[in-house]
Amino acid sequence: MPNDALGGGSRGPPTVAADGRLLTDGGTGNPDGNDGTDSTDDTDDSDRSAGDDADDRAHVERAIELSAAAVAEGNTPFGALLVVDGAVRVEAKNETVTSDDVTAHPELTLARRAARELDPDERAACTMYASTEPCPMCATANHYAGIGRVVFGVAGETLDELAGDVVTIPCAEVIRRADGTTVVEGPVAEDAAMAVHESFYGSP
């Protein structure tokens, strides 16, 4: 279970338990969700695939579980977590509906906490795992916070094809235009990430 403080497949619809856990292949996700109280190489290293890394996949899958838990709480399907030196430090779920705040994205929540509670070296060592590619607002927050790396489950452009109303400027492009150093990798576990979106928005 992650610390509360920062100091320390198939595309079928997912099954979500009553407590918000995403059930996959007969197993259960980690029930200890915390709502923020935790590519392909082209011309540079800022946009590459992380799909071959088992730890990356496991952390993205946890972010996907958080996205399903967000839906169970009445919000839209997005979740994220921060990892430093292999340890989950904090997680967050989307709260845009329940908090009546259109900016209450989990990635922005985590970037704010990292900026407040971690020193620059710790932030540079952070990886943010997100169920869906961070939007331009959240990508910019990651840049300003100095988060070292972002790994996401499904690309914004892919989600836009299903749900529409997505600002489809890639996270890596935002970082590049800002002359930033955050490494962006993904998609990872794309089918599982899309299954939650399809269950919420409807299959194409």
Side-chain angles (χ1 to χ4, degrees):
M1 178 173 168
N3 294 329
D4 185 55
L6 284 175
S10 167
R11 189 174 279 208
T15 302
V16 181
D19 61 359
R21 290 174 299 154
L22 177 64
L23 307 182
T24 56
D25 300 327
T28 60
N30 183 345
D32 297 323
N34 178 325
D35 62 1
T37 55
D38 187 4
S39 99
T40 304
D41 193 350
D42 293 324
T43 59
D44 57 43
D45 291 337
S46 65
D47 185 11
R48 63 190 184 194
S49 174
D52 294 332
D53 189 302
D55 288 337
D56 283 341
R57 179 170 290 271
H59 289 312
V60 170
E61 288 172 348
R62 176 59 187 150
I64 294 166
E65 291 175 355
L66 291 167
S67 75
V71 173
E73 294 173 4
N75 292 291
T76 51
F78 301 90
L81 56 148
L82 279 181
V83 174
V84 183
D85 294 331
V88 177
R89 303 290 281 272
V90 66
E91 299 178 334
K93 293 170 282 190
N94 184 278
E95 296 181 341
T96 55
V97 177
T98 55
S99 68
D100 194 24
D101 179 359
V102 296
T103 71
H105 295 193
E107 304 88 355
L108 182 58
T109 297
L110 295 183
R112 285 171 167 164
R113 289 201 60 183
R116 286 195 306 263
E117 301 177 35
L118 296 180
D119 64 37
D121 287 342
E122 289 177 308
R123 296 196 299 270
C126 271
T127 298
M128 180 180 290
Y129 293 92
S131 60
T132 303
E133 182 178 16
C135 71
M137 174 184 71
C138 296
T140 302
N142 274 274
H143 165 63
Y144 284 135
I147 302 299
R149 183 169 173 254
V150 172
V151 181
F152 63 84
V154 62
E157 288 187 355
T158 303
L159 175 58
D160 187 59
E161 292 172 1
L162 173 68
D165 199 30
V166 175
V167 181
T168 57
I169 302 170
C171 181
E173 177 67 8
V174 173
I175 300 299
R176 185 189 69 79
R177 291 189 185 189
D179 198 25
T181 59
T182 302
V183 174
V184 181
E185 305 184 19
V188 174
E190 184 177 31
D191 285 353
M194 278 300 291
V196 181
H197 286 303
E198 289 172 353
S199 179
F200 183 81
Y201 294 108
S203 297

